[in-house]
Amino acid sequence: MTSGVGALWSARHPLRILVKRDLAVKYQQSVLGYLWSLIEPLGMGAIYWFVFGVLYSGDTRRHLGDAADSYPLFLITGIFAWMWASSAISEATNALTGQARLITTMNVPRQVFPIGRVTGRFAEYAAGLPILIGIAAVYAAQGKIHPGWTLFSLPLAVAVQLILLVGISLLLSALNVLMRDIERFMRLIIRVLFYATPIIYPLSLVRDSGMPTWVKVGYELNPLVGIFQLQHAIWYPDEFPDARLLATSVLGSLLVLAVGWWSFRRLEPAVLKEL
């Protein structure tokens, strides 16, 4: 894996070119272009705010506490990070099948192609951070949020999420070449993960529920749970994950990366033969 990382670092220039090409192709026939990477999560945030912040405002306030006054920020923070995760997983799944010609002709590590999709979606996430900071500044000026040292959880959240997404993308991109049902299966999994992760609701809602203990334990084994707690903790210090949850997310993400990297290297000969 160490030698593979070194080879990948030496191919950083082709990776940058692939990311720029993917972004250009994605928005080349769009009038609004990169603005779509902001409009979509903001639109989703508005819908969920209407449902949970207006129609069910009583339940929302009971579980969010002080954060209920800035619920739109809570939503947008989670949705921006989720758009990065869901888009990266979805696009990385067909990163090899959709670029077969390039893969068989370019002399670069094949990991570049799925990792390029993850990096491209991160660029869209990063483009939305100024919007997020602007919304947070408005709520902070009104005294509705009180961010502190947990502002530094942003780079940690990004690093852990990047590690997890790279591992998933390597695993799924290789498997999808050999079993094309993977792409369809992941569409369902992505929908399930959205509601099985504290994105639009606080983790306390799950912990205080009447679900069996084994369900709650299984729920928190999902590395995304701790990652999104870190994302929310940027503005809400009380949401910072405890040591057990944080360790589960970090170690789980590293394990997924190791499994994804190993699986990709093992399946690479069969993948190239299939392509």
Side-chain angles (χ1 to χ4, degrees):
M1 187 172 180
T2 304
S3 61
V5 172
L8 191 62
W9 174 252
S10 65
R12 61 189 181 279
H13 182 61
L15 174 61
R16 186 164 55 247
I17 293 174
L18 285 172
V19 170
K20 289 182 178 179
R21 187 210 62 169
D22 287 343
L23 290 172
V25 170
K26 184 175 181 179
Y27 298 109
Q28 66 179 354
Q29 294 181 332
S30 172
V31 175
L32 296 178
Y34 292 107
L35 287 177
W36 280 115
S37 64
L38 305 177
I39 294 173
E40 189 174 357
L42 290 174
M44 287 179 61
I47 293 171
Y48 286 112
W49 170 78
F50 177 74
V51 175
F52 297 106
V54 178
L55 299 182
Y56 296 97
S57 59
D59 292 336
T60 301
R61 285 186 173 276
R62 185 166 62 252
H63 290 287
L64 280 174
D66 295 337
D69 293 330
S70 57
Y71 184 51
L73 176 62
F74 185 93
L75 277 175
I76 296 300
T77 300
I79 290 175
F80 264 95
W82 171 252
M83 293 300 294
W84 173 24
S86 61
S87 299
I89 293 172
S90 178
E91 295 185 20
T93 302
N94 61 9
L96 300 182
T97 55
Q99 304 181 93
R101 191 170 182 179
L102 279 176
I103 293 169
T104 54
T105 56
M106 289 184 65
N107 184 23
V108 295
R110 275 78 185 194
Q111 294 94 326
V112 163
F113 296 94
I115 292 176
R117 296 297 175 87
V118 176
T119 307
R121 302 297 74 78
F122 168 72
E124 295 175 341
Y125 167 78
L129 286 179
I131 303 295
L132 196 60
I133 293 171
I135 296 173
V138 172
Y139 281 117
Q142 297 173 352
K144 294 182 178 180
I145 62 170
H146 305 281
W149 64 269
T150 53
L151 286 171
F152 295 103
S153 66
L154 175 59
L156 178 58
V158 169
V160 179
Q161 186 166 339
L162 179 64
I163 290 171
L164 178 65
L165 292 178
V166 168
I168 293 174
S169 67
L170 291 172
L171 177 62
L172 295 180
S173 61
L175 288 176
N176 189 55
V177 175
L178 306 177
M179 296 179 290
R180 299 303 172 95
D181 290 338
I182 294 294
E183 185 175 356
R184 294 182 177 87
F185 179 69
M186 287 309 301
R187 293 174 190 167
L188 174 61
I189 294 300
I190 288 172
R191 292 191 184 99
V192 172
L193 282 175
F194 179 77
Y195 294 102
T197 305
I199 299 170
I200 60 175
Y201 59 84
L203 178 60
S204 60
L205 183 63
V206 176
R207 288 181 168 176
D208 297 339
S209 69
M211 291 189 296
T213 302
W214 66 268
V215 174
K216 297 179 183 179
V217 171
Y219 174 90
E220 294 189 16
L221 287 177
N222 174 11
L224 286 172
V225 172
I227 290 171
F228 278 89
Q229 284 301 102
L230 284 171
Q231 293 280 0
H232 289 307
I234 298 168
W235 320 115
Y236 306 99
D238 291 342
E239 296 294 323
F240 194 85
D242 54 51
R244 179 179 56 81
L245 183 58
L246 182 60
T248 299
S249 294
V250 173
L251 295 177
S253 298
L254 290 171
L255 177 62
V256 171
L257 175 62
V259 171
W261 194 285
W262 179 83
S263 300
F264 190 94
R265 293 301 300 269
R266 292 281 293 182
L267 296 174
E268 190 172 2
V271 167
L272 292 176
K273 183 178 179 181
E274 186 68 23
L275 290 176

